[in-house]
């Protein structure tokens, strides 16, 4: 991309030249999108902010001063400012919602939904664990809930390591089959 070309196009856009705007759009839309994406991170928000920046470019092209820098730098500055504003706005909205939830004593909807979902998942896992043999359940529980290694599980249950590994494999296979219905 030639810097001079962008400068010339932006000066033409400032005079209302739509064809120059199309060319400038093609030239800067990629860098604008990339910069906004790095700041905002959310794909949908990125598209929205990039569109706002390019619309602002059309509307405020007359404010461009080639004596103060290149057109590309000016456009990317617009993009960065708009992206940062969006992030700050989203953060402030989240903080307001959180303060309101704390003040009202009612947890935010997402928190309630997550707690309900986690409770349902725990219940599903509990039901699937109940379908295992006692040794499978005990082995899986010691390894995955209490954090023991296979060797430590074998020592605690006073069983050969091979037996514990077999019971764990069989138990995990049955759990996977049972939990597959949860998805």
């Amino acid at each position: 991309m030639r810097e001079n070309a962008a400068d010339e196009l932006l000066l033409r856009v400032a005079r209302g030249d739509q064809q120059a705007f199309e060319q400038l759009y093609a030239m800067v839309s990629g860098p604008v999108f990339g910069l906004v994406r790095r700041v905002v991170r959310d794909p949908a928000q990125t598209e929205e902010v990039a569109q706002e920046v390019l619309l602002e470019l059309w509307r405020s092209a007359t404010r461009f001063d080639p004596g103060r820098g290149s057109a590309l730098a000016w456009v990317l500055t617009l993009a960065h400012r708009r992206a940062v504003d969006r992030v700050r706005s989203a953060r402030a909205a989240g903080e307001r919602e959180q303060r309101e939830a704390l003040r009202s004593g009612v947890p935010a909807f997402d928190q309630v939904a997550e707690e309900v979902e986690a409770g349902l998942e725990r219940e599903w896992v509990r039901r699937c664990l109940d379908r295992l043999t006692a040794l499978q359940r005990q082995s899986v529980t010691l390894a995955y809930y209490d954090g023991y290694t296979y060797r430590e599980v074998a020592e605690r249950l006073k069983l050969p390591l091979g037996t514990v590994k077999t019971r764990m494999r069989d138990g995990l296979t049955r759990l996977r089959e049972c939990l597959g219905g949860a998805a």
Side-chain angles (χ1 to χ4, degrees):
M1 171 183 349
R2 286 188 13 244
E3 286 291 322
N4 300 30
D7 291 356
E8 292 167 13
L9 288 171
L10 188 52
L11 291 172
R12 287 175 43 203
V13 170
R15 293 189 300 268
D17 185 335
Q18 290 181 3
Q19 188 177 24
F21 180 72
E22 289 175 18
Q23 293 172 350
L24 184 62
Y25 181 98
M27 192 179 287
V28 300
S29 61
V32 165
F33 186 84
L35 177 97
V36 172
R37 174 65 188 226
R38 283 190 300 279
V39 174
V40 175
R41 295 203 173 111
D42 176 77
Q45 293 283 329
T46 297
E47 290 175 9
E48 193 173 308
V49 171
Q51 183 178 7
E52 290 171 6
V53 168
L54 294 166
L55 183 60
E56 183 178 351
L57 174 61
W58 171 255
R59 291 179 178 159
S60 64
T62 56
R63 293 192 336 233
F64 170 65
D65 179 2
R68 296 183 66 195
S70 71
L72 183 61
W74 185 76
V75 171
L76 293 178
T77 299
L78 289 177
H80 186 262
R81 286 180 184 160
R82 183 64 65 114
V84 168
D85 286 348
R86 178 61 62 97
V87 169
R88 287 178 179 157
S89 175
R91 185 177 299 137
E95 289 171 359
R96 275 193 308 274
E97 289 174 8
Q98 197 171 29
R99 281 193 307 271
E100 180 59 31
L102 288 173
R103 190 175 57 216
S104 68
V106 176
F109 173 79
D110 289 343
Q111 182 181 349
V112 172
E114 287 177 19
E115 288 175 13
V116 168
E117 188 173 326
L120 291 172
E121 287 173 358
R122 279 192 301 273
E123 180 59 31
W124 193 279
V125 170
R126 217 172 288 127
R127 286 181 186 165
C128 289
L129 280 170
D130 287 343
R131 294 180 182 177
L132 302 179
T133 66
L135 185 55
Q136 288 172 340
R137 183 175 42 258
Q138 202 172 17
S139 299
V140 169
T141 301
L142 286 170
Y144 288 92
Y145 288 104
D146 296 338
Y148 291 106
T149 64
Y150 285 12
R151 184 171 305 287
E152 291 169 332
V153 171
E155 290 170 4
R156 289 186 64 88
L157 297 177
K158 297 180 179 29
L159 292 169
L161 180 59
T163 302
V164 168
K165 286 183 176 181
T166 300
R167 297 303 178 264
M168 289 281 287
R169 186 189 68 237
D170 294 345
L172 291 173
T173 299
R174 289 179 67 187
L175 274 176
R176 182 174 44 247
E177 290 168 0
C178 179
L179 292 171

